[in-house]
Amino acid sequence: MPASTSPTCSRASACAAAHSRLAGPRSGYAPSMSTIPAPSVSLSQAGRAAHDLGLAGLLGGNLFGRLALHPSVTAISDQSERGKVVNAAWRRYGVVNSISLLAVGTGWLGARANEAADRRLSPQERRLARAKDVLVGVVAATGLASAVQGVRFASLAPEGAVALRDGDHVAADAGDDARRVKRRLNALGAASLAAEAALVAVNAALNQRSFRRPPARRLLPRFGRV
């Protein structure tokens, strides 16, 4: 029997063909089915817009509350009514804060999973992205802690009518518990405001670094973000 038609040779040829199919192209890269496809450009744009709007909502609301609402309630003569107005305002804006936190967190996590992954960034961008990781975490932590303390503070009096000297300070007769919770709220608000401002600065620096990349790197998804 000729060698080319022997059972041993046939089995060896079949094994070699099967091995070749399983191994795939020897280009040094993983098979395409193991990679996560990048999101569409429109989806990425929507995620980035939601992230930026969320950050604007967090920082804008914090600034308005600390610099405009809190000083202005002194125009209300009744101290308990001041607390009622302040707590009602923050309770209403809590919906915006919650949606904003979700948008900032999910928008950045989605970007980090693909287009802002470390492998796609230059060394300078990588450092900024890791700083942004920390700041997003701090913004989320302080935002959630502020929400918890805000609910607790409002529950100290019916309808949130805790007696206030102004939006940042309780009245002398408000009680020690209200004073302690308000101090925590003020500290968390300051920390949140600082983290949000720093996040805006890092986000701007990261976008500027990406914009100034050589056009060839920006056009090739393999070597830079789209």
Side-chain angles (χ1 to χ4, degrees):
M1 181 181 295
S4 60
T5 58
S6 66
T8 301
C9 182
S10 298
R11 285 195 298 271
S13 299
C15 289
H19 177 74
S20 176
R21 287 194 299 271
L22 290 173
R26 299 185 181 183
S27 59
Y29 302 110
S32 59
M33 69 175 61
S34 64
T35 61
I36 300 175
S40 65
V41 173
S42 58
L43 183 59
S44 294
Q45 289 173 341
R48 180 169 293 188
H51 172 278
D52 291 349
L53 284 171
L55 187 52
L58 291 172
L59 182 58
N62 210 336
L63 286 172
F64 174 79
R66 307 295 163 185
L67 301 180
L69 173 65
H70 287 190
S72 297
V73 294
T74 55
I76 302 173
S77 58
D78 189 296
Q79 292 183 330
S80 296
E81 193 68 19
R82 293 174 190 172
K84 184 176 179 180
V85 169
V86 168
N87 284 317
W90 280 116
R91 184 171 60 250
R92 285 175 178 273
Y93 203 78
V95 177
V96 177
N97 276 334
S98 299
I99 296 173
S100 297
L101 276 175
L102 184 63
V104 169
T106 56
W108 180 237
L109 286 175
R112 285 293 268 163
N114 196 296
E115 62 181 17
D118 280 352
R119 69 183 183 277
R120 294 181 179 268
L121 304 178
S122 67
Q124 295 88 349
E125 288 173 327
R126 198 173 299 125
R127 285 191 291 271
L128 288 169
R130 290 173 181 174
K132 186 172 177 178
D133 292 340
V134 174
L135 288 170
V136 169
V138 173
V139 167
T142 55
L144 292 173
S146 295
V148 171
Q149 289 297 315
V151 170
R152 183 182 176 191
F153 182 70
S155 68
L156 295 176
E159 298 183 332
V162 181
L164 295 179
R165 192 168 79 239
D166 55 43
D168 292 322
H169 305 91
V170 298
D173 58 348
D176 292 338
D177 196 17
R179 193 169 291 107
R180 281 193 298 269
V181 176
K182 190 60 177 172
R183 277 199 300 264
R184 292 193 201 106
L185 263 176
N186 290 341
L188 286 168
S192 183
L193 182 60
E196 288 158 7
L199 182 54
V200 169
V202 170
N203 197 46
L206 186 57
N207 289 340
Q208 186 65 18
R209 284 281 182 182
S210 176
F211 180 77
R212 289 199 174 191
R213 274 182 160 189
R217 291 197 69 189
R218 285 189 275 116
L219 288 173
L220 296 173
R222 184 171 189 77
F223 299 105
R225 291 182 299 163
V226 177

